[in-house]
Amino acid sequence: MSVTIKDIARLAGVSHTTVSRALNDSPLINPETKERIHAIAESLNYTPNYNARSLVLDRSYNLGLFFSTLHTGTSAGFLYEAIKGVNDVIQDNFNLIVRGIDDYKSFHKVNRKSFDGIIVMSQSTSDQAFIEYASEKEIPLVVLNRPVEGVEVMNLLPDDRGGAFRLAEFLIGQGHRRIALIEGKAGFKSSQARREGFLAGLAEHGLTMDENLIVPGEYDLESGYQGMGRLLDLPERPTAVFCSNDDMALGAVKAVTERGLSVPGDISVAGFDDHLFSAFMTPALTTVRRPIEEISRAGAEKLLTFIDNKVVEKSTVLFHTELVIRESVQSTQGGR
Amino acid sequence: MSVTIKDIARLAGVSHTTVSRALNDSPLINPETKERIHAIAESLNYTPNYNARSLVLDRSYNLGLFFSTLHTGTSAGFLYEAIKGVNDVIQDNFNLIVRGIDDYKSFHKVNRKSFDGIIVMSQSTSDQAFIEYASEKEIPLVVLNRPVEGVEVMNLLPDDRGGAFRLAEFLIGQGHRRIALIEGKAGFKSSQARREGFLAGLAEHGLTMDENLIVPGEYDLESGYQGMGRLLDLPERPTAVFCSNDDMALGAVKAVTERGLSVPGDISVAGFDDHLFSAFMTPALTTVRRPIEEISRAGAEKLLTFIDNKVVEKSTVLFHTELVIRESVQSTQGGR
DNA sequence: TTGAAAGCGCTAACAT
DNA sequence: ATGTTAGCGCTTTCAA
C-alpha cells in the first residue's frame, strides 16, 4: 500500500492530525515540527490521496470541458483552440476532462461531486438538455459559443451574426451581386446566425438572395466541395460564395480549381472562423475571425472565479468577430 | 446535501448495506427488495458519490491522455485524432483527462489513486522523465507515437521511417534527383525517423542528399512557408521537396505559388501524416498516411485490458504507414 | 437474504 | 501548538 499521513505521523511521533495540518501549511503548527514532517513526507515520497480529500472537502478538482459532439461537425481547429484556451488558464490546479455530450448515455455521472465546474462548448441545441441539467444541479457553469435560451447561464459567444453581416457588405462593396451561400450544419446555432447576418447584410443594400444560391453544408471539407460543385453546375453561376466556415471554403476552392477555374479570378470565395490554415491556403482565405481561444480562456477564468467565490454570475457577453481580408475575394472590376 | 444510500435505506426500511448491494446488483439480494430500492433511488434522483466509492475501491475512473506539449509542435489534427480515437473506446466508463506534460510543475498529482491508467501521446524525449515516473509508480501505461528507450512499456507507433523511405523511392521513381527536405521540429523523434527513412530511401538508389537542401522546420505552417522560401532562393532549386508533415507542406505550397511558380508544375511537394485537409488542398497533397486515430484506439483498448486484468504487457507494435499518391508530385518528364 | 461494524485516507470541531 | 474524536459515503468482511 502507499504511504498515508498515519505513516508519517508514526515516524514523526505526532498525531496524523498534526501531519495533515503541517502538510496543508496551517499557521497553527510549530515551524520546526512542520519542517520535520515535510522532510519525512518527502523522504517517503508521500502523495496525498485526492479521493479521500475530495470526499471530505466535497471538491473533485475536476473541470469538465464538454462539446456538443466529438464526432461530425466539430473541426480539429475548434477542438484545438478550445482545449488550449482552457488549459492555459487552469494550469496545474484542476484536471481537465474532455467529453462529447452525445457520448453520455445518461448524465448520472455528472454532478457536483464529480465536477467542480463545467464549460460547455456548445454548437447546437442538441445539448440543451445537458445545459439545463447542469444548471439545475447547480454546478458552476459557463456556456460558450452559442446563445442559450430558456435557462439563465453565463454565456460567452462570438458575434457570428455581425461578422457575417460585415462580410456581406464587403462582398457587395467589391461589386458582387450574384452571391451564393453554403450553409453550416443544420441545427447548429452558428449556421443560423451566420446565414441571418449574411442575409441581413445583403438586405441592408437592397439585395435579396436567390433561393437557388443557398446550398446546404455540414461544416466539413467534403460538404464544402460538394456544395461548390452544385453551385458551379448552375446555369448562371454566382460571382462570389460565402462558405459558413473555413473548412468548407477549403473544399469549395478545390471544387473550383478542379474544373479549371480559378479563385478569385473566376469566382470569389470567403469563409468564417479564420483557422490556422486559412492564411496559408492558396489563395489565402478572406474570412471572419472568430476568437475561440480567447473565448475559451475567458470562460475558464469566469468559471474559476465562480468556483472560488461560490457565486455564479449569469449574463451574456458577445465577442467581436473581425473581417480578415486576404486574397480569395476579388472585385468584379478585376483586382482585389 | 445530496441523497445518499442511507437516505434510501431509511425509506426502504433496510440497512444501507442492503442498498449498496442492491444498487450494485448483487445476486445476494432478493429481487423484490432490489426492485423496491431501485425505485426509491430513482425517485430520489440518487447519484452515487464517486469520491467515496473511489476511496474504498481504490479506483479513480480517470484515464489520462497526456501530450508532450499542448503548445507548439502539436498540430490541431493530431490532437483531434488522438482524442477521438481514445474517446471512442472508453465510452461512458472513464473520465478522459487531457493534459500537456509540460504543464505539470511536479508529477505529484499523477499517481495510481488519481489515474486508473495513462496514455502518453509522446512526441519528443522531453517527456521521458514522465514516462519513467508513471512506469515506476506502476500505473497502467501505454506510450503512443514515439519509440521509448530505457524503460519497458507498451509502445504503439507508426512506421515513420518506412513511410519516409517509400516516399523517397516514389520521388526517385518519378525522376527526381535534386530533392530537398524540410525537417520536423528538432528533438521530436518523428522528425528524426522521417529524415533517416528518407535518406535511407535515397541511399537505396545511390543518392545522397545535398546538405544545402536540408532546412529546419517546426512542424507548423509558418516554418514550412519559411523553409520553402529558403529553398527557392537557392541558386539551383530542387525539383521536389519532402516536408516532414502536412502542415508544413501547406505552408510550402503557399511559398511556391506566391512567387508565381506552381506545384507540381515547377516544383513537386510531398508531406507526411495525411491530415484531413490534405486531400482538399490545391493541389491535393501526396503524402504518407500515419494512422493516429487507429493507434489511439488500439492504445486505449490495450490500456483497458491492462486495467481489467491487472497485468501490463510490454512490447512494441509498429503500425503501417501508407504512401498516398495525389497531385502535388509530378514526374520530371511532366505529367504525374 | 439481510444487518452490524469496520475501515478506506483525509479534514475539522472540540478539547487540552 | 498538538491530540482526540468524529465523520465524509461507500464497500466488505463477518455474523446471523
Side-chain angles (χ1 to χ4, degrees), chain A residues 2-17 19-20 23 40 44 46:
Chain A
S2 38
V3 17
T4 73
I5 52 172
K6 284 186 185 164
D7 300 321
I8 299 177
R10 207 173 306 121
L11 285 172
V14 296
S15 78
H16 72 278
T17 310
V19 175
S20 170
L23 261 21
I40 297 176
L44 257 43
Y46 168 78

Side-chain angles (χ1 to χ4, degrees), chain A residues 94-122:
Chain A
F94 290 90
N95 290 318
L96 184 62
I97 294 179
V98 176
R99 164 130 310 167
I101 292 172
D102 59 349
D103 283 328
Y104 277 112
K105 296 185 197 94
S106 100
F107 301 152
H108 249 69
K109 289 184 183 166
V110 182
N111 51 57
R112 281 191 74 99
K113 311 278 185 196
S114 297
F115 292 94
D116 289 346
I118 286 179
I119 298 171
V120 178
M121 186 50 95
S122 177

Side-chain angles (χ1 to χ4, degrees), chain A residues 79-141:
Chain A
L79 185 78
Y80 179 74
E81 291 195 41
I83 289 179
K84 247 186 109 168
V86 173
N87 185 66
D88 276 3
V89 172
I90 64 169
Q91 304 272 357
D92 222 346
N93 305 313
F94 290 90
N95 290 318
L96 184 62
I97 294 179
V98 176
R99 164 130 310 167
I101 292 172
D102 59 349
D103 283 328
Y104 277 112
K105 296 185 197 94
S106 100
F107 301 152
H108 249 69
K109 289 184 183 166
V110 182
N111 51 57
R112 281 191 74 99
K113 311 278 185 196
S114 297
F115 292 94
D116 289 346
I118 286 179
I119 298 171
V120 178
M121 186 50 95
S122 177
Q123 293 157 289
S124 75
T125 49
S126 70
D127 53 27
Q128 181 74 17
F130 181 84
I131 291 168
E132 287 171 7
Y133 173 89
S135 174
E136 267 169 35
K137 289 258 173 182
E138 296 186 36
I139 308 173
L141 173 72

Side-chain angles (χ1 to χ4, degrees), chain A residues 248-299:
Chain A
M248 292 199 299
L250 182 59
V253 168
K254 175 98 198 138
V256 173
T257 53
E258 233 177 50
R259 302 195 184 208
L261 300 173
S262 102
V263 176
D266 296 299
I267 191 165
S268 289
V269 173
F272 204 108
D273 281 353
D274 194 25
H275 271 191
L276 286 170
F277 66 75
S278 306
F280 289 91
M281 282 173 53
T282 305
L285 191 66
T286 290
T287 185
V288 176
R289 198 175 99 79
R290 173 176 64 151
I292 284 301
E293 188 171 336
E294 190 184 335
I295 290 175
S296 304
R297 191 184 309 273

Side-chain angles (χ1 to χ4, degrees), chain A residues 64-267:
Chain A
L65 175 57
F66 294 95
F67 292 82
S68 297
T69 173
L70 247 29
H71 306 279
T72 159
T74 299
S75 73
F78 185 72
L79 185 78
Y80 179 74
E81 291 195 41
I83 289 179
K84 247 186 109 168
V86 173
N87 185 66
D88 276 3
V89 172
I90 64 169
Q91 304 272 357
D92 222 346
N93 305 313
F94 290 90
N95 290 318
L96 184 62
I97 294 179
V98 176
R99 164 130 310 167
I101 292 172
D102 59 349
D103 283 328
Y104 277 112
K105 296 185 197 94
S106 100
F107 301 152
H108 249 69
K109 289 184 183 166
V110 182
N111 51 57
R112 281 191 74 99
K113 311 278 185 196
S114 297
F115 292 94
D116 289 346
I118 286 179
I119 298 171
V120 178
M121 186 50 95
S122 177
Q123 293 157 289
S124 75
T125 49
S126 70
D127 53 27
Q128 181 74 17
F130 181 84
I131 291 168
E132 287 171 7
Y133 173 89
S135 174
E136 267 169 35
K137 289 258 173 182
E138 296 186 36
I139 308 173
L141 173 72
V142 301
V143 181
L144 312 184
N145 197 51
R146 78 149 170 111
V148 176
E149 287 156 16
V151 45
E152 292 264 297
V153 292
M154 186 72 206
N155 200 185
L156 311 184
L157 42 133
D159 181 13
D160 280 325
R161 198 177 188 288
F165 186 95
R166 288 188 295 280
L167 180 61
E169 292 202 305
F170 171 70
L171 259 26
I172 291 169
Q174 296 296 303
H176 294 281
R177 292 296 175 271
R178 189 159 175 76
I179 303 175
L181 167 67
I182 302 180
E183 294 197 86
K185 198 170 165 69
F188 275 35
K189 271 288 170 185
S190 56
S191 309
Q192 191 186 326
R194 291 169 195 189
R195 187 188 57 228
E196 284 177 11
F198 195 73
L199 294 182
L202 296 182
E204 185 79 6
H205 295 266
L207 286 181
T208 56
M209 190 170 240
D210 182 345
E211 279 293 331
N212 298 315
L213 294 184
I214 302 185
V215 298
E218 295 286 326
Y219 270 155
D220 62 356
L221 296 149
E222 178 66 27
S223 68
Y225 176 80
Q226 301 284 354
M228 181 59 95
R230 290 176 54 178
L231 291 171
L232 294 175
D233 286 341
L234 254 30
E236 199 185 349
R237 286 205 298 257
T239 64
V241 178
F242 169 39
C243 305
S244 294
N245 77 350
D246 288 359
D247 278 30
M248 292 199 299
L250 182 59
V253 168
K254 175 98 198 138
V256 173
T257 53
E258 233 177 50
R259 302 195 184 208
L261 300 173
S262 102
V263 176
D266 296 299
I267 191 165

